[in-house]
Amino acid sequence: MGKKLPPLVPEVPFNISRASFSRIDTWLKCGRRWKFRYMDDLKRPPSIAMLEGTSFHEALKVTNDMKIKKGHYIKVTSMVECFMENFRQHVKDEAKTFKTKPKNLEWGGEREDHIFSRGKIFAADYMSGFATKVHPTAAENQVDHILTLPDGTKFPIKAGLDLEEEDAIWDYKFVKRMKTKQDAENSVQLSLYSIIRKIRRTGFVNFHKAKVPKVVPVLIKKTPWQLMWSLQVVAEAIKQINAGNFYLTSPENWWCSKKFCGYWDLCRGKTY
């Protein structure tokens, strides 16, 4: 029997009174994914790529906190050890949570030794390059903020700021395709961070997972129009979520695939 189209999802109003940026971003990518995750409360195991990024974020926090408190970073070897220890623990914990074996998580063709080799290169490149040029004031800071939307509505939002300086905000990205200056200019995430901290200099720190891994920062200065447009995008997302509009994303988008969407088997990949 061939596949049939899934039934249309009726609009079910949902009162979203506060949110994190990650929730808003999920809806911007795909309304249906948002519904599966936050309305239906269906959780899926994180990919190994996500656990790699989480573990390196944690190692970066340790070294940035040391710089803030003591005036110097931890050693590269200590940073790598922290990353590897955290990664192994996260893999173990997620396998236990979803009652499976570590090898059954979504490794995406990666192997632990390859991930650790890449981590060593990232740590050395970060510490010898980018880290020497910044002056951290806060790391992995979870911030609660009341946004004022274009119509004057107040909306509470939570944001995680990876790295802050007195005059700049940075977001770490572990990517196969590097974030560009244009990506940073268009980023709703960076705009919200600029609004929250009232700092217009912001950017991405690319941890580029290329054949030769490297760390590449991209810094921009947000314009008032970019900030206002991002607020309008957030306001529209909130409006549509509250109206129960959980749209299907375009199948052309890379995240609409079995590899990158944990809800594939409930949506485009399901046989009806």
Side-chain angles (χ1 to χ4, degrees):
M1 181 182 293
K3 287 187 176 181
K4 297 180 181 179
L5 290 174
L8 294 176
V9 173
E11 291 187 352
V12 180
F14 188 92
N15 182 23
I16 177 173
S17 58
R18 62 184 296 114
S20 63
F21 171 75
S22 63
R23 291 196 179 200
I24 298 295
D25 190 50
T26 296
W27 188 89
L28 291 174
K29 283 187 168 68
C30 179
R32 193 64 54 87
R33 181 191 286 190
W34 193 99
K35 179 181 182 297
F36 285 140
R37 176 63 186 88
Y38 298 113
M39 189 172 183
D40 300 338
D41 197 29
L42 299 176
K43 297 179 181 179
R44 289 292 187 267
S47 67
I48 289 298
M50 185 176 294
L51 297 183
E52 177 188 5
T54 297
S55 302
F56 212 94
H57 268 81
E58 292 167 346
L60 286 164
K61 175 173 171 53
V62 171
T63 192
N64 286 324
D65 282 346
M66 177 65 77
K67 176 67 172 178
I68 294 167
K69 296 174 183 177
K70 302 291 185 179
H72 62 84
Y73 293 107
I74 64 174
K75 294 180 179 179
V76 171
T77 53
S78 298
M79 185 177 175
V80 172
E81 288 171 2
C82 179
F83 162 62
M84 294 192 298
E85 181 180 341
N86 290 344
F87 178 82
R88 285 176 172 147
Q89 188 62 51
H90 282 307
V91 170
K92 181 180 178 181
D93 290 345
E94 294 299 338
K96 182 178 180 180
T97 297
F98 291 95
K99 299 178 180 180
T100 188
K101 296 180 179 179
K103 68 178 181 180
N104 293 331
L105 296 175
E106 179 51 62
W107 285 79
E110 295 268 28
R111 287 182 3 207
E112 184 182 81
D113 58 335
H114 290 167
I115 292 171
F116 287 172
S117 293
R118 182 165 60 223
K120 292 176 182 178
I121 296 173
F122 278 155
D125 194 16
Y126 182 89
M127 297 300 287
S128 64
F130 180 77
T132 65
K133 302 172 184 177
V134 294
H135 304 281
T137 57
E140 300 295 332
N141 198 9
Q142 298 299 313
V143 179
D144 289 302
H145 183 79
I146 306 297
L147 284 179
T148 301
L149 301 179
D151 65 355
T153 301
K154 305 294 185 181
F155 186 81
I157 194 165
K158 181 181 287 293
L161 310 182
D162 289 346
L163 182 66
E164 297 178 66
E165 297 185 85
E166 289 291 342
D167 62 347
I169 306 169
W170 297 92
D171 191 72
Y172 298 132
K173 295 295 184 186
F174 292 79
V175 292
K176 290 187 177 180
R177 185 191 75 81
M178 279 205 297
K179 296 287 186 180
T180 64
K181 180 180 179 181
Q182 184 176 13
D183 291 328
E185 291 171 344
N186 292 335
S187 172
V188 175
Q189 179 184 27
L190 293 183
S191 289
L192 291 183
Y193 293 173
S194 290
I195 291 167
I196 290 170
R197 285 303 192 224
K198 298 180 180 179
I199 296 174
R200 286 168 57 187
R201 293 179 73 246
T202 183
F204 295 121
V205 182
N206 288 288
F207 289 79
H208 190 205
K209 297 195 280 188
K211 187 174 182 180
V212 180
K214 56 184 176 180
V215 178
V216 182
V218 175
L219 180 66
I220 63 161
K221 184 177 182 180
K222 285 285 186 177
T223 67
W225 174 250
Q226 289 168 349
L227 300 181
M228 286 301 298
W229 185 256
S230 293
L231 282 176
Q232 185 75 350
V233 169
V234 171
E236 183 68 20
I238 294 167
K239 175 183 175 182
Q240 295 302 326
I241 292 171
N242 284 335
N245 179 6
F246 305 116
Y247 72 99
L248 290 169
T249 193
S250 169
E252 295 180 353
N253 290 325
W254 61 264
W255 54 83
C256 186
S257 63
K258 184 177 181 180
K259 181 177 180 181
F260 293 107
C261 182
Y263 303 103
W264 174 263
D265 59 322
L266 298 178
C267 190
R268 190 173 161 203
K270 184 174 181 179
T271 300
Y272 291 84

